[in-house]
Amino acid sequence: MIEDISSFTEYWTNARARTTRVLDRLPESELEWSHAPGRFSFGDLLRHLAGIRALHVRRRTCWGRPSAIRATRHPSARAFPAYARTWSGATPSPSPSSAALSDADLHRKCLTPAGKPITTWKWLRSMVEHEAHHRGQLYLMASMRGVSIPPLYGLTEEQVLERSQDGTGPGPGGA
């Protein structure tokens, strides 16, 4: 459960930074590659996430207003105007979705774009889940193209296993 706006904003900022690190590693020449016709390319995913952020879809919904999402097609993903606003600099700005909400607002109901009532903190949590879903797509697609992306939390699976087996990892016998 999301208890307060400040902890959510910190959590969201960190989640966005992880996605930004992936996007920053994608070469311009790969941005419009897609694994199949009619599926998202890297650039489509970038435009999709940037467009949702720029339009404050979740913020509008949290305040009881309809979402204002529109098509996010643009010939160049990084020239897409929303990209510059939402991914400028290494550290993303605080969440536009939580900027004006109070801790008490987290517990009231809002309506999703489908018209379903949901507790506001759950709606905000879905924003992070949405981003994580697309970040997973970016990692998979990058591996399909041979693009090296840094490990999500600092270590690869192989490094975690190695540290676990040699006793340098956390737990009995480790640090």
Side-chain angles (χ1 to χ4, degrees):
M1 179 172 158
I2 297 169
E3 301 275 340
D4 59 75
I5 291 297
S6 63
S7 64
F8 171 74
T9 299
E10 180 180 351
Y11 174 58
W12 174 231
T13 298
N14 290 335
R16 286 186 62 194
R18 289 189 290 275
T19 303
T20 300
R21 284 193 296 273
V22 175
L23 293 169
D24 287 347
R25 295 294 295 260
L26 298 173
E28 192 74 30
S29 62
E30 293 289 334
L31 288 181
E32 298 312 320
W33 177 83
S34 176
H35 68 284
R39 300 296 183 184
F40 272 148
S41 67
F42 290 114
D44 291 334
L45 286 168
L46 187 153
R47 287 183 288 267
H48 172 69
L49 290 170
I52 286 174
R53 289 178 184 181
L55 295 170
H56 307 278
V57 171
R58 298 278 192 306
R59 180 182 189 180
R60 293 179 57 83
T61 304
C62 287
W63 285 109
R65 296 190 304 264
S67 65
I69 197 157
R70 59 183 180 267
T72 54
R73 295 284 180 199
H74 194 275
S76 171
R78 288 199 174 106
F80 179 55
Y83 177 83
R85 287 193 304 273
T86 60
W87 269 293
S88 58
T91 305
S93 61
S95 167
S97 301
S98 61
L101 294 174
S102 71
D103 293 346
D105 290 330
L106 293 173
H107 302 286
R108 65 176 170 72
K109 296 282 186 179
C110 63
L111 290 178
T112 68
K116 179 183 177 203
I118 187 170
T119 306
T120 300
W121 73 263
K122 291 179 181 179
W123 184 242
L124 290 172
R125 179 185 62 191
S126 75
M127 175 176 63
V128 181
E129 291 173 2
H130 175 254
E131 178 125 352
H133 159 73
H134 288 306
R135 186 172 51 244
Q137 288 179 294
L138 291 166
Y139 265 93
L140 176 62
M141 292 167 59
S143 72
M144 292 169 75
R145 299 300 290 169
V147 177
S148 176
I149 303 292
L152 186 60
Y153 296 109
L155 296 175
T156 64
E157 179 182 10
E158 294 80 11
Q159 291 168 322
V160 171
L161 288 173
E162 182 181 304
R163 289 177 180 209
S164 298
Q165 293 168 357
D166 71 11
T168 62

